[in-house]
Amino acid sequence: RPTVRTISFRGFLTVAQFSEESRIALEAKGHMLQQESCLLTFITDRRAAKVRHLQQPHTQFVECCWWLDEAAVQFRIAGRVVVATADSDDADLRAICRCVWHRLKRETQETFTWPCPGVPVSETSAATCVPEPADDVAQRQSIDCIDSEGDVDGIPLDTASFAVLILVPDRVDELRLGGRQRRRIYYLPTEAGGLPVERF
């Protein structure tokens, strides 16, 4: 059944975050590298229950809600989620995962090398993550101070249990409260935001 979670927004997807091959193709079509799309990105531990839920058949559909207090506006954005990891089959998803990872502070990166989410930690030993039946993710807990991409201050992505969640929206419900309440519903076309949404 549906469950609610609080999650940090990490920005709208840009052309610069795609693989080199896709960047070249999109630039040739007139897209700017830093041009933002309508695709929203979030980060999570790939061992988390929500990732397993999203990877099950017919459970990729989600809705996120924003409340902007000063503007008194609520946005409900509905769509489907694509999970991007360092070993995704798709080259663009791998590139997006790497790009988001390298933008994180080391302190944030370290949280993805911690013990498995939701597993109790005993006083005598650190908990290890035991994969659930639908989860075949390898558990990698080591930390290397030198990143494989050359970032000496970062942690190598291949030692972290890291994933990027990409929300591909198809409906936005905008509700403005206050003196004059207004509600608008937008349906997004496949080319919304400048990038081909059907790509995902």
Side-chain angles (χ1 to χ4, degrees):
R1 63 184 181 181
T3 55
V4 176
R5 294 171 172 92
T6 299
I7 193 167
S8 296
F9 174 56
R10 290 290 170 172
F12 293 97
L13 198 65
T14 67
V15 173
Q17 293 172 284
F18 282 72
S19 65
E20 182 178 4
E21 181 179 352
S22 293
R23 287 200 307 269
I24 293 172
L26 288 167
E27 282 189 285
K29 293 181 180 180
H31 295 286
M32 296 181 292
L33 282 178
Q34 299 303 324
Q35 178 181 350
E36 291 185 338
S37 69
C38 66
L39 308 181
L40 297 83
T41 60
F42 307 85
I43 61 174
T44 187
D45 191 304
R46 62 187 294 175
R47 300 164 297 176
K50 60 179 167 288
V51 175
R52 293 192 297 275
H53 294 166
L54 290 169
Q55 291 176 330
Q56 296 299 313
H58 312 300
T59 59
Q60 296 176 326
F61 295 96
V62 300
E63 183 174 84
C64 67
C65 182
W66 260 291
W67 168 249
L68 306 181
D69 191 50
E70 292 186 3
V73 179
Q74 172 187 276
F75 288 97
R76 292 168 54 192
I77 304 172
R80 58 187 175 83
V81 165
V82 177
V83 180
T85 65
D87 53 7
S88 293
D89 292 335
D90 187 282
D92 283 330
L93 294 182
R94 294 195 301 271
I96 291 166
C97 185
R98 288 194 301 271
C99 184
V100 174
W101 175 257
H102 289 306
R103 292 182 177 182
L104 300 178
K105 294 181 179 179
R106 181 185 176 89
E107 293 78 10
T108 304
Q109 292 178 344
E110 287 176 348
T111 65
F112 295 96
T113 66
W114 290 355
C116 186
V119 175
V121 179
S122 68
E123 294 181 359
T124 57
S125 62
T128 57
C129 185
V130 179
E132 294 189 20
D135 188 5
D136 60 354
V137 177
Q139 305 311 315
R140 295 165 295 197
Q141 298 295 329
S142 62
I143 299 178
D144 189 338
C145 292
I146 301 179
D147 188 271
S148 58
E149 296 291 327
D151 181 1
V152 296
D153 296 322
I155 294 173
L157 176 57
D158 60 3
T159 67
S161 298
F162 178 74
V164 177
L165 305 180
I166 304 169
L167 173 55
V168 183
D170 54 36
R171 183 177 183 271
V172 178
D173 185 332
E174 176 189 354
L175 177 62
R176 292 184 175 271
L177 302 177
R180 295 182 57 188
Q181 294 191 11
R182 291 182 299 171
R183 185 184 183 193
R184 292 192 178 100
I185 297 179
Y186 307 90
Y187 294 92
L188 281 70
T190 56
E191 288 284 342
L195 293 178
V197 173
E198 75 275 8
R199 169 68 184 76
F200 295 98

